[in-house]
Amino acid sequence: MYEALLGRYPYPKFALIENFWETGYGMPSFTLLGSTVLRLPFILTSSYPHEILHNWWGNGVYVDYREGNWCEGLTAYLADHLMAENRGEGPVYRRTTLKHYADYVTGSQDFPISTFRERHNSVTRAVGYGKTLMFFHMLRLELGDQQFIDGLRTFYQENRFKRVSFSVLADTFSRVAGSDLRPLFAQWVQQTGAPVLQVKNVRVEHQGKTYQVHARLEQVQRGRPYHLRVPVFMTAEGEEHAQMQSIVMNGRETDLAHTMSSRPVRLDIDPEFDVFRRLDRAELPPTLSEAFGDTHALFVLPTQESPELLEGYRRLASAWKLTMPDAQIRLDQELEALPQDRAVWVLGWNNRFRHEVERSLTSLPVQLTEKDLVLDSARIARQTGSVVITSRSATPPFNAIGFVATETAMAIPGLSRKVPHYDRYSYLAFMGEETKNILKGEWPIVSSPLSIPLGGPRAASHPIHPPRKPLISVEP
Ligand SMILES: [Zn+2]
């Protein structure tokens, strides 16, 4: 598949080698994978294609790091994202990527792609992998699939076994496209931050047999406006698929007008997450990454629990705090109320603030009681299961609330180790001392500011549009 997409594989052989350390390394003509990851059935569509592709990017064309590392984002885009796209999950993959950026990269932690070398935490991953792969996605949408592929092939052919930088990529793609793409590269590679989109002045005009949808798109981030190509979806009554229009923005504001022959029922701005941008909280369901991403989070320990459980929770909080340098750990009896200015982790069934967690869940399809957790038609009994749930506080700025509770002290080390790996989920349940995962899922999105109902009969919860064809099909 990659030879068809990019050009000849550069080495005479490829080997997959099992390592006694848990590594995931792509080396010239071989990959070193740890024995645990090697056993996972899904590596065939995740780590394995990623490491194979590193023979083109990284070990075929080498990285000149002086302008930043282009290779991880490009490899993630053409391996992990491509696999997702082939499963019809491209939009979900991109949403997770943007959510990761929104949750982990805040304020002064942000940095431009041009200073990315390698990942060592969630922040460097969100920019070095996430922002970079979104940049290649936008480049593809700007050029169209064929020209994007031509650019990749030319770049590979001309630079095999050479050390090259982002400038060479920019020059190659400009030559192939016949237009100067260097400003586009500079905007995404050298600038820190992300655009933030808002929509206003939405109205529908009805004239004779046609309807016109008007709206104003705005970029409201600080700093310079970006050049953006924003997909806008319009759904009309009685039509199976939404109509899509790409809005090109070159300044802070752009007005859009779209004529339809049937009554429009909804307007959606970038509903498939094709633009790298800072997402609005309300576009996203609360997930664990939100609570893990707040480095100032507060852990609230349950005074009323048994000494064993209390000690277990204390250890869990200390372990998680290692990635949240400014987090604090307090006992529930020391607090009058939960703070509103930071994420909060409420630990234990007997925590004084459990009722606050219950209250934060009222708009969600779940019930947390004295005895159990009921959701997804499953019931997790307090005596046998361990539960992890996230929600948001009811008042602005709607900070994350995490709840972890178990009656099995022996399960806490397992929770401490496993839960951070499930950070894209909203709720989890585990069974027994061995903490076997039995339930995981994401809350539904209640209201997004970039999805505007235009009246008429209630439309589906999401605009429907035929999925984009993958860049190349994975053979079954
Ligand atoms: Zn990689």
Side-chain angles (χ1 to χ4, degrees):
M1 184 188 73
Y2 285 129
E3 287 199 319
L5 182 68
L6 303 169
R8 262 194 85 174
Y9 176 75
Y11 293 101
K13 69 117 187 9
F14 180 76
L16 165 60
I17 306 196
E18 179 174 349
N19 193 0
F20 48 84
W21 284 311
E22 289 304 327
T23 52
Y25 293 150
M27 313 292 236
S29 86
F30 68 102
T31 179
L32 273 177
L33 294 182
S35 48
T36 308
V37 70
L38 205 52
R39 281 176 176 75
L40 301 172
F42 55 78
I43 72 151
L44 285 175
T45 54
S46 56
S47 319
Y48 199 39
H50 183 107
E51 300 309 341
I52 290 171
L53 183 58
H54 268 313
N55 285 283
W56 279 263
W57 312 130
N59 296 319
V61 182
Y62 308 137
V63 180
D64 177 344
Y65 289 91
R66 283 174 297 181
E67 294 174 16
N69 179 354
W70 49 267
C71 147
E72 285 305 340
L74 184 56
T75 304
Y77 185 60
L78 297 175
D80 310 61
H81 180 274
L82 181 72
M83 296 296 147
E85 210 173 25
N86 267 274
R87 293 190 300 269
E89 293 170 5
V92 179
Y93 186 93
R94 294 189 294 275
R95 192 188 71 177
T96 305
T97 302
L98 295 183
K99 179 157 170 55
H100 196 84
Y101 176 80
D103 287 344
Y104 288 108
V105 186
T106 48
S108 62
Q109 295 172 300
D110 205 352
F111 64 95
I113 292 172
S114 58
T115 61
F116 172 66
R117 299 291 176 269
E118 60 183 13
R119 85 172 189 209
H120 33 78
N121 57 31
S122 298
V123 177
T124 45
R125 183 174 138 215
V127 176
Y129 285 60
K131 183 176 185 179
T132 313
L133 83 84
M134 286 300 296
F135 164 61
F136 283 109
H137 181 68
M138 291 183 288
L139 184 63
R140 167 190 174 188
L141 299 190
E142 188 82 27
L143 301 181
D145 284 10
Q146 197 48 56
Q147 224 165 55
F148 179 66
I149 292 170
D150 290 348
L152 292 171
R153 293 181 71 90
T154 308
F155 176 69
Y156 176 63
Q157 204 171 23
E158 293 177 351
N159 298 293
R160 266 201 313 175
F161 307 121
K162 288 185 199 158
R163 205 163 285 284
V164 295
S165 64
F166 265 111
S167 304
V168 177
L169 270 166
D171 292 343
T172 310
F173 275 100
S174 298
R175 187 151 36 88
V176 169
S179 66
D180 186 5
L181 297 169
R182 286 172 303 179
L184 188 72
F185 272 74
Q187 159 183 299
W188 293 113
V189 175
Q190 286 159 28
Q191 262 175 247
T192 304
V196 179
L197 292 180
Q198 274 182 8
V199 62
K200 64 182 197 189
N201 301 350
V202 179
R203 64 180 206 282
V204 178
E205 280 171 15
H206 186 188
Q207 291 165 334
K209 285 185 174 162
T210 61
Y211 297 84
Q212 263 215 330
V213 182
H214 296 270
R216 172 164 290 181
L217 258 183
E218 280 187 334
Q219 298 184 32
V220 297
Q221 74 280 359
R222 273 195 221 157
R224 270 187 283 174
Y226 287 71
H227 163 81
L228 298 177
R229 182 176 290 271
V230 184
V232 174
F233 287 44
M234 259 123 340
T235 308
E237 196 176 359
E239 283 178 20
E240 189 188 352
H241 291 136
Q243 300 175 21
M244 200 271 277
Q245 195 187 347
S246 257
I247 306 292
V248 176
M249 295 190 83
N250 282 309
R252 291 236 162 250
E253 300 177 342
T254 306
D255 289 328
L256 71 93
H258 187 79
T259 308
M260 304 177 94
S261 52
S262 306
R263 178 201 291 273
V265 290
R266 62 181 298 153
L267 168 70
D268 294 88
I269 311 299
D270 192 29
E272 299 194 333
F273 306 96
D274 289 310
V275 178
F276 181 75
R277 55 193 176 90
R278 189 168 283 280
L279 298 181
D280 190 291
R281 278 262 160 114
E283 284 183 80
L284 300 164
T287 57
L288 289 162
S289 55
E290 244 174 81
F292 279 118
D294 185 349
T295 56
H296 292 81
L298 175 69
F299 291 93
V300 184
L301 299 176
T303 320
Q304 296 296 321
E305 293 283 12
S306 70
E308 261 179 303
L309 279 170
L310 180 56
E311 181 54 23
Y313 288 126
R314 195 185 292 279
R315 288 201 182 163
L316 174 139
S318 309
W320 289 358
K321 187 176 158 2
L322 293 175
T323 59
M324 308 174 190
D326 305 309
Q328 289 181 18
I329 304 175
R330 305 278 296 275
L331 285 166
D332 55 0
Q333 66 176 21
E334 300 171 350
L335 300 168
E336 295 266 306
L338 293 179
Q340 298 295 316
D341 62 340
R342 65 195 63 200
V344 178
W345 287 93
V346 175
L347 306 178
W349 284 105
N350 287 328
N351 198 298
R352 246 185 84 200
F353 295 104
R354 198 194 65 222
H355 62 274
E356 297 271 347
V357 179
E358 284 167 27
R359 199 175 321 152
S360 72
L361 294 168
T362 45
S363 64
L364 295 166
V366 56
Q367 243 190 319
L368 179 69
T369 73
E370 190 80 32
K371 300 191 299 288
D372 56 14
L373 174 77
V374 181
L375 63 88
D376 272 7
S377 66
R379 177 179 173 269
I380 314 298
R382 173 172 172 172
Q383 289 312 319
T384 48
S386 305
V387 301
V388 180
I389 320 172
T390 46
S391 59
R392 293 192 183 115
S393 72
T395 49
F398 311 110
N399 282 304
I401 300 177
F403 178 63
V404 181
T406 185
E407 293 286 308
T408 314
M410 297 285 275
I412 298 181
L415 293 173
S416 169
R417 209 172 53 246
K418 288 182 182 177
V419 172
H421 294 290
Y422 289 91
D423 68 348
R424 69 172 122 140
Y425 295 102
S426 304
Y427 55 84
L428 304 166
F430 298 88
M431 219 28 124
E433 289 178 5
E434 66 281 12
T435 54
K436 183 177 164 10
N437 179 255
I438 51 164
L439 186 72
K440 55 180 195 269
E442 209 180 59
W443 301 130
I445 297 161
V446 186
S447 66
S448 159
L450 295 184
S451 290
I452 295 101
L454 300 174
R458 245 184 104 76
S461 64
H462 198 264
I464 298 163
H465 195 254
R468 185 179 291 124
K469 234 174 109 230
L471 207 49
I472 188 167
S473 289
V474 178
E475 293 296 326

